[in-house]
Amino acid sequence: MALIDNAVYVGGRRVESPSTLSLATRGDLAWIGLLRPDPSELEAVATEFDLHENAVEDARKGHQRAKLERYGDTLFLVLRPAWFDSSADTVEFGEVHLFVGDRFVVSVRHAERPDLAALRSRVEADPEFLAMGSEAVTAAVLDEVVDGYAPVVEVLQDHIDAIEDQLFAGQVDPGVSKRIYQLLSEVLAFQRATKPVPAMVKGLLRGADKYGVDDEVQHRLRNVLDHALRVTERVDSFRALLENALTLHATLVSQEQNEAMRRMTSASLAQGEESRQLARAAHRQGEEVKKISSWAAILFAPGLIAGVYGMNFDHMPELHWRYGYPVAILGMLALMGVLWAIFRKRNWL
């Protein structure tokens, strides 16, 4: 059932807890708490308290930005409470709509948190404050929502500190970049929830004298304003820190890539130098082989002639010629000289 609590107060004390919504003319103050009401229930509340259709439409649809609007004598506030879900390791957001009139407050929640039932119990424990009317309830709800921001701020601070430690340690793990983006997304959503709150509280304080708001309620609102400003300042700093962290991480990744490229280039140069040395060695070896081959060919020529005439055949030309020996020697020398000249011209010697 959407109706969570329904109370009529006189002098700050609960005098009745009706089961229906027909209580606009009873007591000093009516406070109705609804959780995810259906359109018919919202329509009944709108009819009972003459709520503006635009505000009712916003309350029915949900997913509204934090804001403060006035429709005649009725205020319409949208608040975005936040809390950290440790199981999912993320910041979660709720939505609370307040319709505030001279003698009534209607709270419409679209999430289980914050626990306005616990808040109602604490407010009822202070009848003097509750006797100050609907403005006191509004201040109490604002205080509850803004106080709920503090634990989220601390958790975000811890996570950002961990990111900074990783970055200053020179870690360029891709998981760090992913976590920075996640945190930045959460911080931006948190910023959208918290940033309008100081302006909303200032708006309430500007109209406090005009609408006869008690000094104690104004003091409570100023305290809420102080807390809200501190929260928004820290959230703004979180955004700047994470944006800088992204830049730093990108720089570290770029440096790591440049270092890897430098190492690859150095390895490539070393490999090229080794290849050049091998090529030079192969060239020198080729030159030596050419020289050896050239001299082997030069020495092969006289060996060929000597081998032919060293065969023991009786019928060989010039075998018994008187000038055969000197002619053979001269032929050997001439052939060697010709081969030497040829190899020398080709730079083989």
Side-chain angles (χ1 to χ4, degrees), residues 36-349:
R36 300 190 187 95
D38 58 39
S40 61
E41 291 167 325
L42 270 179
E43 189 61 35
V45 172
T47 300
E48 178 72 17
F49 297 105
D50 193 24
L51 304 180
H52 196 278
E53 59 181 8
N54 290 343
V56 175
E57 181 71 11
D58 288 346
R60 188 179 81 251
K61 290 182 177 179
H63 304 290
Q64 301 294 311
R65 61 178 178 83
K67 60 182 179 179
L68 168 65
E69 295 176 339
R70 176 174 290 277
Y71 296 95
D73 294 331
T74 302
L75 289 176
F76 176 61
L77 292 86
V78 179
L79 300 172
R80 299 300 307 274
W83 64 92
F84 185 77
D85 186 349
S86 57
S87 61
D89 197 30
T90 59
V91 178
E92 300 292 338
F93 298 92
E95 191 169 344
V96 175
H97 298 178
L98 291 181
F99 296 91
V100 182
D102 183 42
R103 296 173 54 198
F104 69 89
V105 175
V106 178
S107 62
V108 179
R109 284 187 294 150
H110 289 271
E112 298 295 334
R113 300 176 67 169
D115 186 1
L116 295 184
L119 170 65
R120 187 192 291 257
S121 298
R122 292 196 299 273
V123 174
E124 288 178 345
D126 186 2
E128 292 184 3
F129 182 72
L130 187 54
M132 297 175 187
S134 58
E135 294 87 355
V137 175
T138 304
V141 174
L142 279 166
D143 196 13
E144 178 75 6
V145 170
V146 172
D147 283 349
Y149 293 150
V152 178
V153 169
E154 297 306 319
V155 171
L156 289 174
Q157 181 69 71
D158 291 341
H159 287 185
I160 292 173
D161 289 343
I163 291 292
E164 289 181 332
D165 291 342
Q166 289 178 297
L167 292 176
F168 290 130
Q171 296 185 18
V172 292
D173 185 350
V176 175
S177 179
K178 180 179 179 181
R179 185 56 181 149
I180 294 174
Y181 274 110
Q182 290 174 339
L183 275 176
L184 183 57
S185 176
E186 292 176 3
V187 166
L188 290 175
F190 194 36
Q191 189 179 46
R192 287 192 293 271
T194 59
K195 200 170 188 65
V197 175
M200 294 166 61
V201 179
K202 289 177 182 178
L204 292 173
L205 287 170
R206 282 195 299 269
D209 292 336
K210 177 180 178 180
Y211 293 97
V213 178
D214 289 85
D215 291 340
E216 180 62 26
V217 174
Q218 294 187 49
H219 176 72
R220 184 80 168 262
L221 288 173
R222 282 190 288 270
N223 185 61
V224 172
L225 176 60
D226 182 59
H227 291 175
L229 287 172
R230 287 206 297 268
V231 168
T232 55
E233 288 171 359
R234 293 193 66 182
V235 174
D236 290 344
S237 70
F238 289 166
R239 178 175 181 175
L241 284 171
L242 288 171
E243 288 174 345
N244 291 336
L246 274 177
T247 302
L248 175 59
H249 186 263
T251 302
L252 291 174
V253 170
S254 178
Q255 290 177 346
E256 180 68 18
Q257 291 174 343
N258 291 339
E259 182 63 22
M261 289 296 296
R262 188 190 65 78
R263 290 194 297 267
M264 291 174 62
T265 302
S266 299
S268 178
L269 290 173
Q271 186 176 9
E273 181 62 26
E274 183 178 356
S275 298
R276 285 192 294 272
Q277 291 176 356
L278 290 172
R280 285 193 293 266
H283 178 71
R284 287 194 299 269
Q285 185 176 9
E287 292 297 318
E288 294 296 329
V289 170
K290 285 194 295 183
K291 291 179 181 180
I292 293 172
S293 300
S294 298
W295 285 113
I298 292 171
L299 295 175
F300 173 74
L304 176 63
I305 296 173
V308 169
Y309 281 93
M311 294 185 290
N312 296 320
F313 294 103
D314 291 333
H315 301 287
M316 291 183 66
E318 295 87 25
L319 183 62
H320 300 286
W321 185 32
R322 181 177 178 179
Y323 300 104
Y325 174 73
V327 170
I329 295 299
L330 289 174
M332 292 179 189
L333 293 175
L335 183 57
M336 291 174 63
V338 170
L339 290 174
W340 181 88
I342 292 172
F343 292 143
R344 184 72 175 176
K345 185 177 182 180
R346 295 184 178 181
N347 294 321
W348 282 29
L349 291 175

